[in-house]
Amino acid sequence: MIGILEPEISCLKGEDMSKVNRIANAWLHVEDGIIVDFGPMTNCPDLNVETRDVQGQWVMPGFVDSHTHMVFAGPRHNEYVMRLKGKTYAEIAVEGGGIINSSKRLQLMSEDELYDKSMKYAYEAIQGGTCALEIKSGYGLNVESEIKMLRVIKRMKETLPILVRSTFLGAHAIPPEYKENREAYIELIINEMLPKIAEESLADFVDVFCDEGFFSVDETNKILQAAQKYGLIPKIHGNELGITGGVQVAVANKALSVDHLEHIGEEEIACLKNSDTMPVALPGSSFFLKIPYTPARRIIDSGLPIAIASDFNPGSSPCHNLWFIWSLACLYNGMLPEEGFNALTINAAKAMGIEQQYGSITRGKKSCIIITGPFEHINEMPYWFSKNQAYKVLFK
Ligand code: NIG
Ligand code: FE
């Protein structure tokens, strides 16, 4: 059994990220979806409860996917081929493709159809061991369609057997009809979308794509300030396309996480050190867009924590397989297998604000468990790249 932590540990930083506590030949007692107790078989209590023998296999905490765009209308394989022929993600976005392309399709789709499509992806992710999931809006880009997306996420929250958190990402792109008047779109977000979202309790978090060609630091700050008045906690897309102040605005607004960070300098690292904001790397989008990988090695070596997530979406990361994301993080972000494990469990839980209940084998936490294996060593988990290692996933 691996991933055992004391309850007071909320995340792992720096050198501690390479530590994974384990008990070889262990027992685990769960009741009503909660971890009651565990220990080595040498002191296994004699309880009158239903038992399951997983001898030879590995037991670990379920994965937490703290960053996804799981609700979307369809794939963007045409843009994939455009990129194969040499166009960049940014060039496609400027020409009205990218997020705008996805929003046009989503605006035309019914809530029921969107729900059915998204649930299919969610169940695939669950089979891979995902036990908690964050899902963003951001392909609606008008009041009606942003609300439609968030209602779909709310239904997923109510019907999936795992924990779902919802993020309002109205500031994902400027819709074409506001191209000449960005200010008016920001006013729409603040004065029309946010009040409606609050009225129906449709979101836990607020996100802004603060990057070159998308939203400026000032615009980001304005939206975050307004959203916080409704109780939404910030989580930011920052520094994917350049060093643009995303880290600083996230930290100034006490964001739970700042995600992407493919471009990050010493100033950003220093800024994160003085904060409680979790840096999150998204290796799937670096892989798929062939852009730089977030320098996780440098971030960890400077004493910081880091989480990793799938960024599952139709444009930059059509992959929710966290086993593959783990392998990418080792091969290209410079992480060790143990660091990847902690980045996908306890640190990812912190990036979603659920570390009190998820992310480790800890007495009192949810008994969301992956049963894998057998393995010779934890190194093998990301070594067999792209293989789903979850033989069984338990939620209760
Ligand atoms: O995290 N960078 C912004 N948003 C998504 C991509 C969205 C899309 O291309 O559809 C991301 O990579
Ligand atoms: Fe994203």
Side-chain angles (χ1 to χ4, degrees):
M1 188 162 71
I2 60 169
I4 302 154
L5 287 178
E6 293 301 323
E8 62 274 13
I9 303 287
S10 64
C11 71
L12 293 167
K13 305 177 183 190
E15 285 179 3
D16 287 343
M17 276 201 73
S18 59
K19 294 179 190 148
V20 176
N21 296 328
R22 57 174 291 196
I23 303 177
N25 205 11
W27 57 272
L28 174 70
H29 176 198
V30 305
E31 226 174 270
D32 297 330
I34 301 290
I35 296 172
V36 179
D37 206 358
F38 54 82
M41 280 312 283
T42 45
N43 72 3
C44 185
D46 189 13
L47 298 172
N48 185 21
V49 290
E50 185 194 332
T51 59
R52 182 192 296 256
D53 185 359
V54 293
Q55 205 170 17
Q57 293 178 279
W58 288 44
V59 172
M60 59 183 260
F63 290 138
V64 173
D65 199 347
S66 71
H67 181 141
T68 83
H69 308 250
M70 192 167 274
V71 175
F72 55 88
R76 300 216 301 266
H77 49 80
N78 50 338
E79 294 179 6
Y80 167 62
V81 174
M82 284 162 82
R83 286 194 301 101
L84 296 180
K85 290 181 179 168
K87 280 230 156 113
T88 66
Y89 180 78
E91 283 164 356
I92 293 168
V94 168
E95 289 165 13
I99 295 164
I100 300 302
N101 181 1
S102 281
S103 77
K104 283 185 191 146
R105 264 183 93 172
L106 183 132
Q107 287 169 1
L108 297 174
M109 191 168 277
S110 75
E111 192 180 307
D112 284 345
E113 197 178 344
L114 261 181
Y115 171 78
D116 290 344
K117 276 179 181 279
S118 311
M119 285 293 278
K120 193 179 127 283
Y121 298 130
Y123 273 110
E124 287 168 3
I126 289 170
Q127 276 167 14
T130 300
C131 287
L133 186 61
E134 182 260 15
I135 311 175
K136 300 173 196 295
S137 73
Y139 293 126
L141 305 185
N142 63 34
V143 179
E144 186 195 334
S145 298
E146 280 296 309
I147 298 291
K148 176 169 70 183
M149 280 191 85
L150 290 167
R151 285 190 184 139
V152 168
I153 303 171
K154 192 173 186 180
R155 275 169 76 183
M156 294 173 79
K157 261 189 195 185
E158 289 162 0
T159 49
L160 283 169
I162 61 167
L163 181 94
V164 175
R165 288 275 191 264
S166 169
T167 301
F168 169 53
L169 177 57
H172 200 190
I174 297 279
E177 60 274 27
Y178 287 94
K179 222 171 164 183
E180 304 308 321
N181 191 4
R182 329 174 34 98
E183 191 112 312
Y185 184 61
I186 291 160
E187 293 301 317
L188 187 80
I189 290 177
I190 293 174
N191 299 327
E192 295 197 38
M193 294 185 189
L194 281 172
K196 280 209 167 65
I197 290 162
E199 198 182 299
E200 281 187 50
S201 301
L202 288 174
D204 305 293
F205 308 129
V206 59
D207 195 342
V208 177
F209 188 8
C210 177
D211 222 316
E212 269 168 18
F214 289 85
F215 291 84
S216 70
V217 165
D218 285 349
E219 291 167 344
T220 303
N221 197 46
K222 199 169 167 189
I223 295 165
L224 296 185
Q225 295 279 321
Q228 285 174 95
K229 295 202 178 105
Y230 293 101
L232 304 189
I233 303 166
K235 276 173 78 67
I236 299 299
H237 276 75
N239 294 30
E240 176 182 2
L241 308 170
I243 296 196
T244 48
V247 170
Q248 288 80 353
V249 74
V251 168
N253 283 280
K254 296 194 167 29
L256 209 44
S257 71
V258 57
D259 305 26
H260 273 293
L261 307 175
E262 286 84 349
H263 301 89
I264 183 167
E266 288 312 310
E267 265 180 50
E268 282 70 25
I269 289 185
C271 178
L272 284 165
K273 271 194 183 169
N274 291 316
S275 82
D276 217 20
T277 300
M278 178 65 71
V280 180
L282 305 168
S285 47
S286 296
F287 174 76
F288 195 67
L289 296 184
K290 300 204 260 184
I291 61 174
Y293 284 80
T294 306
R297 182 75 273 135
R298 185 148 59 89
I299 292 173
I300 296 169
D301 288 347
S302 65
L304 283 167
I306 193 165
I308 51 179
S310 74
D311 195 17
F312 179 55
N313 77 77
S316 68
S317 185
C319 168
H320 49 56
N321 175 348
L322 292 172
W323 301 96
F324 182 52
I325 298 297
W326 186 355
S327 303
L328 288 180
C330 293
L331 288 164
Y332 299 109
N333 295 89
M335 295 173 83
L336 295 169
E338 290 87 350
E339 292 168 337
F341 173 87
N342 287 319
L344 278 171
T345 54
I346 187 65
N347 286 5
K350 176 85 160 51
M352 255 176 89
I354 57 168
E355 72 279 9
Q356 301 291 324
Q357 293 171 294
Y358 291 83
S360 62
I361 307 273
T362 299
R363 290 173 190 88
K365 282 197 184 182
K366 298 272 183 196
S367 57
C368 297
I369 300 293
I370 301 175
I371 299 170
T372 74
F375 292 112
E376 285 181 12
H377 195 275
I378 188 174
N379 292 347
E380 261 190 89
M381 293 190 178
Y383 162 85
W384 299 107
F385 74 90
S386 89
K387 181 168 187 262
N388 173 6
Q389 307 286 5
Y391 283 12
K392 189 131 197 106
V393 186
L394 304 185
F395 307 107
K396 290 188 192 164

